[in-house]
Amino acid sequence: MSNAYRTWQEWETFFAARSTRHLPSLKQDIDYSVLPDSLARSLAIFQLGESGGGTIVAQSFCNSLPGINNHFGTSMAYFVEEEHRHANILAMCVRQLGGRLIKSNWTARLFVFARRLIGLRLKVVVLLAAEVVGLCYYHLLAMRLPASRLRNQLLEIVEDERSHLYFHCDFLRTQTFSRFRKFVFVVVWRIVMSSAALVVALDHRKAITDLGIGLKPVLERWRAFSRLAEMLVVSDSQITCRQAREAGTDLPS
Ligand SMILES: [Fe+2]
Ligand SMILES: [Fe+2]
């Protein structure tokens, strides 16, 4: 049944190897005061979004879905730990930028609401949308920052999010083994991804403008990665998917 690119045991080994990384030092290495306040606010919202996700681990161990096993549950536990590591790093970034952490935000609440509403498969669809949104946005932010530890940390998180995207696609691929399931996935995915893009673009518009990124490149990047994720889940061609995956999609500077 499993049609994933990596086995769950391979994912477990992959995540385990990364789980020993220490938190970096973000001691101020450049003058961050030149950066707009909206950047700290934007990162504080993402920091909140990276902090949750505990219930999905229990659900990953305890379910009757096809194509998964205990290695998948352990991999999911490592994945959640990795997101918490991102939350810790982003908290340091926000403090270095002179910003304040937040406890509540409407977009973070929307993502939590969507994740709680539904079963494991749809939860992973929501997580996949968050990965696409996060990895493109962090990369666009990093490309606008001067060389600094903050920039390097954002780029490291981008690489983590890229592997999370593949991890979630591998899971969804095992769940969409018929033409009907693929069709349902595409419909749901496009709705979830478009909604996520819309609310995040709205909530982060100030940082997007202040850093001179512009809304169009953000939306284009999200659309490209959204298509990649869709193809990785539903394409029948292992070769096409493998090539796309190896190319990792383009992240231009
Ligand atoms: Fe993350
Ligand atoms: Fe992630």
Side-chain angles (χ1 to χ4, degrees):
M1 180 69 71
S2 173
N3 195 23
Y5 289 98
R6 274 190 176 136
T7 65
W8 301 127
Q9 193 158 8
E10 284 168 342
W11 272 115
E12 186 182 325
T13 306
F14 173 84
F15 280 125
R18 287 208 309 212
S19 67
T20 53
R21 289 178 295 181
H22 294 295
L23 277 177
S25 159
L26 272 184
K27 225 169 140 193
Q28 200 154 353
D29 54 339
I30 60 159
D31 180 11
Y32 290 130
S33 68
V34 297
L35 298 170
D37 294 344
S38 53
L39 174 61
R41 183 188 170 272
S42 185
L43 291 180
I45 295 169
F46 272 92
Q47 191 276 336
L48 191 62
E50 301 265 17
S51 311
T55 55
I56 198 166
V57 177
Q59 259 184 305
S60 301
F61 277 112
C62 242
N63 65 74
S64 54
L65 297 180
I68 57 175
N69 54 30
N70 273 352
H71 294 296
F72 172 73
T74 311
S75 304
M76 190 60 91
Y78 278 126
F79 154 76
V80 170
E81 263 178 40
E82 217 164 84
E83 295 295 21
H84 290 168
R85 182 174 183 272
H86 294 172
N88 290 334
I89 293 171
L90 290 175
M92 287 192 277
C93 294
V94 171
R95 289 194 197 100
Q96 285 295 327
L97 289 164
R100 265 191 276 168
L101 297 179
I102 55 172
K103 291 202 164 74
S104 178
N105 167 265
W106 70 278
T107 49
R109 278 200 301 273
L110 265 181
F111 274 104
V112 170
F113 173 75
R115 287 205 307 257
R116 285 187 181 158
L117 190 68
I118 47 195
L120 179 61
R121 286 180 287 213
L122 283 170
K123 267 184 184 166
V124 174
V125 171
V126 174
L127 282 174
L128 181 59
E131 304 297 353
V132 169
V133 164
L135 93 85
C136 298
Y137 188 64
Y138 293 142
H139 188 263
L140 284 164
L141 287 183
M143 289 301 102
R144 292 296 182 285
L145 296 178
S148 58
R149 289 178 184 160
L150 174 62
R151 183 180 196 256
N152 293 344
Q153 277 315 304
L154 285 178
L155 290 174
E156 188 188 291
I157 293 177
V158 167
E159 286 314 306
D160 287 359
E161 307 298 22
R162 194 197 295 264
S163 51
H164 295 172
L165 183 149
Y166 297 147
F167 174 59
H168 299 323
C169 286
D170 269 0
F171 167 74
L172 291 166
R173 202 170 164 80
T174 64
Q175 305 304 311
T176 49
F177 41 82
S178 67
R179 287 181 71 173
F180 176 70
R181 282 171 179 250
K182 286 185 204 304
F183 171 76
V184 171
F185 165 77
V186 169
V187 171
V188 173
W189 168 241
R190 289 184 183 181
I191 292 170
V192 170
M193 186 58 222
S194 309
S195 312
L198 184 72
V199 295
V200 174
L202 202 62
D203 204 15
H204 296 259
R205 63 193 182 283
K206 180 106 174 63
I208 290 170
T209 307
D210 289 351
L211 285 160
I213 297 171
L215 197 53
K216 199 173 162 212
V218 179
L219 295 177
E220 280 175 358
R221 193 74 62 88
W222 283 340
R223 190 166 57 223
F225 272 81
S226 159
R227 294 261 161 84
L228 170 78
E230 185 176 305
M231 187 188 70
L232 290 175
V233 174
V234 303
S235 174
D236 289 324
S237 165
Q238 291 267 350
I239 295 169
T240 308
C241 288
R242 198 172 295 280
Q243 283 167 347
R245 189 173 165 133
E246 279 161 10
T249 65
D250 214 10
L251 278 172
S253 7

